[in-house]
Structures are given as structure tokens and as C-alpha cells.
Amino acid sequence: MSDQNETRYTLPGKAKSYWVATTPESNYPALSGDIRVDVAIIGGGITGITSAFLLKEAGVSVAVIEADRIITGTTGNTTAKITSQHSLIYNRLISEFGRGQAKQYADSNQAAIDKIEYIVRSWDIDCDFSHKPAYVYAGSEDSAQKILDEVRAARSLGLPASFEGDLPLPFKTYGSVRFSHQAQFHPRKYLCALARETEGDGCHIFEKTRALGIEGGGPVIVKTDRGNVTAENVIQATNFPIVDKPGELFKKLKQSMSYVLGTYIEEPFPDGMFINAEEPVRSLRSQPTERGEMVLVVGDGHPTGNGNPTHEHYRNLEDWARSVYKVRSIDYHWLTEDVMSEDKIPLIGRLTPDSEHLYLATGFKKWGMTTGTAAAMILTDTILGRDNPWTEVYDPSRSGQGPQFSMENVSGIEPGQGTIIEKGEEEKVAVYRDQQGVLYTLNPACRHMGCSVSWNDAEKTWDCHCHGSRYNARGEVIQSPAVYGLLEKKVRGQDEKPYSYIRKGS
């Protein structure tokens, strides 16, 4: 009976994002033959189009290569919040990366807000740009202290943060972080205008042209299904980079899906953009339309490929929306796929330290309007040989994330025992304490293909369920196909040092 009920759910509204549905489809030509430019940009979303725009303004010839139509992928399915408030992040950044890099992250995203507004005002772009406060609210008492910690952390970095008690929302909250002078807009209206400014005078936008690979090291050749583009520099501005083997990027990135409903409600919507601090995520913002104010209800995210049946996520959002608002209609539904890095910070810069002419920007963690714009600013400066103050925190070759776990998380491990400890949705550490009490903390990602290992209590080994690689308790390989040992993973406050023979091969 329940199976029959499952099939009766009808997805509400049009299966298209509001941004795509309310703007004309672009019609740039496909590449025909071989060309040469200064910079080739793979991907026609916010990073690719903004980079092309900024580089052209600096006198650089560019070619944007888009497999489909520009601004219809992740950027065309965004919720389009222009904010430096990326849920609860700054207290963690200070703790794990230090105040200097946390400030780089804060400053770059604030600067991105200013850059978008500057472009909108200077080029008189009609894109529904408006300033709004952004709120992260505690939906339970358990999150109340996290809110206070985030307010203090954000304010210490110079961000426009304050504590707000009561919010004009139709459900109980337990305090919130308020960021003032944030913004929202219609992303396709904005970026289509930038694309029009970019095209011409030796600069190109090629649609229906799929990049197949990248060869060479200066000049670089982007091979496509319609010809080759030769350039001094290449930017990978796709959601997930198509060249991901150098630097083992594929191990550092994961994809996540979220769902959006475009709804009309009876109640007036309060001024602001809102997101909760817990799981499942519930995000709200409004958008002016010809029919009045539409409210975007967003959330129910999950790792790509793990959320079947996906219609249930739309149902969850609809049920929640109807439980808190009087919903008149749901006119649109769509999903978006975002890339998440292992340390939750985007990767922006050279693909590897040796990749002098190959750049990328990815891992925006669902906050691509500001981080994508900041990426375009950073990459433009780097290609032009200008210093940029934010490169360190986003460096794709950074040694790795700071410690995610503290000793209190692992202190309960008895001698001779091992376990996987999880913190949050994706953060894990493999922990083993030997009979002498020495603690080993390891990254549980198998060195073969990145699957997570599990503890074999009988054999005292770490075993991979994907392809059968096995490691001893200290992380050394004892069974192929892996050939390198598990990597060490630091824990805050850890004084004990694992033995030096944990292998760290690349």
C-alpha cells in the first residue's frame, strides 16, 4: 500500500528553474575549427563568464567553451544568495585554519558582494539586485551556543555580523546570526548581460562545444568535439573539473544535490534570506515576479547518487512548506548539484604547483555566487601577474585541511582497539590505540580509489569494501590493490606521535 502511495505523488509546477524559465535561451555559435586566444575558459557559469568579462576588461582575448548553453548548469539552478554568510563557518575556519586564512575567506566573499554590485551599477544591469540581510538561525536549543560562537567569530574578522533573537518566521527559533548589507539577484539576467559585454573584439563564447581534454603546458591546447582552442592559459570553470587526475583532485571533491521549490504563499515574506543551522537544511529567500513575491524553499540535500527515490526530497520540502505557510501554489521545482571539497573550502588557483598555465575553480559548497565571483577575481589577478591577498586559503595544492577532530573526540579508544569516528556528514577519522597507548589517527580514505575503510576487530586491520585493499592497524598496506599506506590525519591537541614508518607515498 505504501508503494502505491509513493507513486501517486506528483511533482509540483514546472520542472525548470525560475531563472532559466524567465530569460531567453542564449544562442551563441559552436566552435568551428581551430582558434587561438590568450585565455581559454571551460565552463559558462558564474566563474567562467565573470572571468571572461574581467579579463576582457583588462585587454585579454578569451574564449568561453560551454558544452550546452551558458548559465544553465549549476549557476542556472542556484538560489542566488549573494552573501559572505555561508551557514556556520567562521568559528570553524578560525579553529582549523587560523585567523589569517579565515580573514582571507571573509574578505574575499565580502569583496565579491561589492564587485557584483559595482558591475550592476556601472553597467546598469536590470537583474533584480537588492540588498537583504542574511540569517542563520538555530532551529533547536542544541544549536543556540553555535550561533553565539559564530557571531563572535564573524565579528572578530570584521564581518557585519550581529546576534538577533526573535525572527519574523512562522516557527520557533533559538537565536540567529544576522549579516547586514548582503544581497540577492536574478543570476541569469546578470550573467547574460556580462556575456553580451564579453562577446566580440577578439573574444568568443562557444556553446554546444564540449571540451574533451587539455594538452600542453604553454601554449595549452583545449581539445573539443568541434576543434581545438590554443591559449597561453586555461581556466577550468566547470562544476567538477574535467581534468582531475593531477593533484588527485578526484579524491578531494564530492558532489551534493539539493532541491528547490518556487512557491507562492498567502503571508507576506519577511525582509531577508534565511537558513537553519541543522540538518536537514531548510533555506528561504524571496524573489519578485510578475505575479508577486515568490518564495524559494530549498534543502533536503544529499550526496549525489545516494538520495533515491529523489521525488521524496521534493515531497519533504513541500510537506514542510505547507506546515509553516499557507501555500497558494508551487510553480517551479528544480534540483542543483554542487561540488564540496574535503575541507569545505573552494579550490581556486593553479591545478598543481607545476601547472603554470592551468587554473581551476571548484568546490563552492553551495555558495557559488560570491565564491565564484571571488574565484574570477583571484584568477584574473593571477593570470595578469598581479598580487591577490586571498590566494593562500583557496590554494588547490594546500597541504590539507586543519584538524577536524580534537582529543576529546578520540579519547575513549581503549588499547588494542580501532574505530571510525564521524563528525558531521562527511568528516571521518580512523583511530587506533596500540597496547602501549600510542594513538594512530588516519585518514580512512583508501589509497586505491578513495573508498572509506572499516575496522576489522578480529584481525586488527583496516579493510576496504570496494576493492579489497587492507592495511594493518598502523595504516601500512598488507593487501593490494593499494600500494601506499593510509595517510595520517592530525587531531587537535594530540601530543602522542604515531611511529614514523606510516607511509606517505604520493
Side-chain angles (χ1 to χ4, degrees):
M1 188 66 154
S2 61
D3 290 342
Q4 292 178 350
N5 289 335
E6 299 284 347
T7 62
R8 291 175 188 164
Y9 179 70
T10 301
L11 294 173
K14 297 178 182 177
K16 182 177 285 190
S17 87
Y18 173 78
W19 321 121
V20 174
T22 54
T23 47
E25 184 177 81
S26 57
N27 190 30
Y28 292 99
L31 176 64
S32 178
D34 299 344
I35 67 162
R36 182 164 189 148
V37 291
D38 295 327
V39 179
I41 301 171
I42 307 172
I46 188 164
T47 302
I49 296 299
T50 307
S51 296
F53 174 81
L54 295 177
L55 286 165
K56 181 180 181 179
E57 287 294 300
V60 176
S61 64
V62 300
V64 176
I65 305 163
E66 169 57 47
D68 192 11
R69 298 292 181 191
I70 61 170
I71 324 163
T72 57
T74 300
T75 301
N77 291 282
T78 179
T79 50
K81 296 179 178 179
I82 309 172
T83 178
S84 58
Q85 183 197 71
H86 299 170
S87 193
L88 300 181
I89 186 171
Y90 291 105
N91 189 50
R92 179 181 74 85
L93 286 182
I94 292 172
S95 174
E96 295 173 7
F97 291 85
R99 187 168 299 278
Q101 291 191 41
K103 180 139 179 74
Q104 289 180 32
Y105 188 96
D107 290 349
S108 61
N109 283 280
Q110 278 295 117
I113 300 172
D114 295 339
K115 174 63 78 173
I116 292 172
E117 181 171 14
Y118 170 79
I119 292 172
V120 169
R121 306 300 185 206
S122 299
W123 275 264
D124 194 23
I125 300 173
D126 181 9
C127 61
D128 306 329
F129 181 93
S130 63
H131 284 291
K132 298 279 183 181
Y135 299 87
V136 182
Y137 64 86
S140 69
E141 289 184 282
D142 292 340
S143 300
Q145 185 59 49
K146 295 178 183 177
I147 295 294
L148 294 173
D149 293 341
E150 186 72 3
V151 172
R152 284 192 289 267
R155 287 180 62 86
S156 75
L157 298 172
L159 289 163
S162 60
F163 177 80
E164 192 99 358
D166 297 326
L167 291 181
L169 293 171
F171 45 82
K172 185 171 179 58
T173 59
Y174 299 84
S176 68
V177 188
R178 181 186 193 271
F179 276 33
S180 62
H181 209 66
Q182 308 297 286
Q184 63 184 41
F185 68 166
H186 190 304
R188 271 187 57 84
K189 288 181 179 179
Y190 169 73
L191 290 167
C192 285
L194 267 60
R196 289 191 294 270
E197 293 289 337
T198 300
E199 174 74 4
D201 301 321
C203 295
H204 312 272
I205 296 176
F206 297 115
E207 295 183 324
K208 299 295 182 178
T209 303
R210 182 171 294 279
L212 303 175
I214 303 172
E215 297 180 355
V220 184
I221 300 173
V222 178
K223 303 185 77 68
T224 83
D225 57 353
R226 296 178 179 271
N228 296 334
V229 179
T230 301
E232 290 302 314
N233 296 286
V234 174
I235 295 173
Q236 290 192 88
T238 51
N239 189 35
F240 199 108
I242 64 168
V243 176
D244 64 351
K245 301 302 185 294
E248 295 189 323
L249 279 179
F250 62 92
K251 292 185 178 180
K252 301 178 182 179
L253 301 171
K254 296 182 179 180
Q255 301 213 52
S256 174
M257 286 183 170
S258 298
Y259 299 81
V260 187
L261 297 177
T263 67
Y264 290 92
I265 62 176
E266 296 287 351
E267 304 91 330
F269 189 78
D271 185 48
M273 305 176 291
F274 305 86
I275 189 170
N276 64 330
E278 302 83 19
E279 296 287 344
V281 168
R282 293 291 181 259
S283 171
L284 298 164
R285 66 150 284 195
S286 62
Q287 170 64 28
T289 76
E290 293 181 354
R291 286 187 50 201
E293 196 169 39
M294 183 173 68
V295 176
L296 303 186
V297 181
V298 187
D300 240 54
H302 60 82
T304 297
N306 289 353
N308 292 325
T310 53
H311 69 265
E312 280 300 298
H313 300 287
Y314 287 114
R315 188 206 292 263
N316 293 340
L317 279 183
E318 179 175 355
D319 289 348
W320 181 79
R322 293 187 183 279
S323 74
V324 296
Y325 290 114
K326 296 178 181 177
V327 176
R328 290 205 314 265
S329 66
I330 300 176
D331 288 29
Y332 301 92
H333 72 268
W334 70 90
L335 65 82
T336 185
E337 188 174 35
D338 296 275
V339 177
M340 328 281 278
S341 73
E342 63 180 348
D343 61 8
K344 310 300 188 295
I345 304 299
L347 309 180
I348 303 167
R350 289 189 171 90
L351 180 60
T352 69
D354 298 328
S355 303
E356 187 176 353
H357 302 281
L358 186 56
Y359 302 85
L360 84 156
T362 187
F364 296 154
K365 195 181 172 285
K366 305 179 189 291
W367 301 102
M369 296 301 98
T370 51
T371 52
T373 301
M377 298 163 71
I378 292 167
L379 296 177
T380 297
D381 283 345
T382 305
I383 288 172
L384 295 176
R386 302 188 302 220
D387 290 335
N388 184 285
W390 315 315
T391 56
E392 181 185 7
V393 67
Y394 298 114
D395 183 0
S397 299
R398 56 186 179 262
S399 58
Q401 63 191 55
Q404 301 293 312
F405 297 85
S406 63
M407 283 302 294
E408 66 182 306
N409 299 126
V410 301
S411 59
I413 307 300
E414 297 293 330
Q417 295 300 309
T419 190
I420 299 288
I421 296 177
E422 298 186 19
K423 183 180 180 183
E425 182 179 343
E426 298 176 4
E427 296 169 4
K428 300 179 181 180
V429 62
V431 183
Y432 169 71
R433 191 182 297 276
D434 70 14
Q435 295 295 345
Q436 288 70 45
V438 177
L439 190 71
Y440 297 81
T441 54
L442 306 167
N443 185 331
C446 176
R447 298 299 300 282
H448 174 230
M449 291 296 289
C451 299
S452 183
V453 299
S454 59
W455 175 247
N456 181 330
D457 185 65
E459 301 297 326
K460 308 297 184 187
T461 59
W462 300 106
D463 302 344
C464 179
H465 68 92
C466 287
H467 304 102
S469 297
R470 300 180 66 213
Y471 308 80
N472 67 20
R474 297 178 296 275
E476 297 171 292
V477 175
I478 59 175
Q479 179 64 50
S480 62
V483 296
Y484 296 113
L486 297 176
L487 294 173
E488 181 183 353
K489 189 164 188 173
K490 293 291 187 182
V491 171
R492 287 197 305 274
Q494 183 178 3
D495 294 325
E496 302 164 291
K497 300 294 183 183
Y499 292 134
S500 60
Y501 52 66
I502 292 181
R503 295 173 63 184
K504 299 182 181 180
S506 59

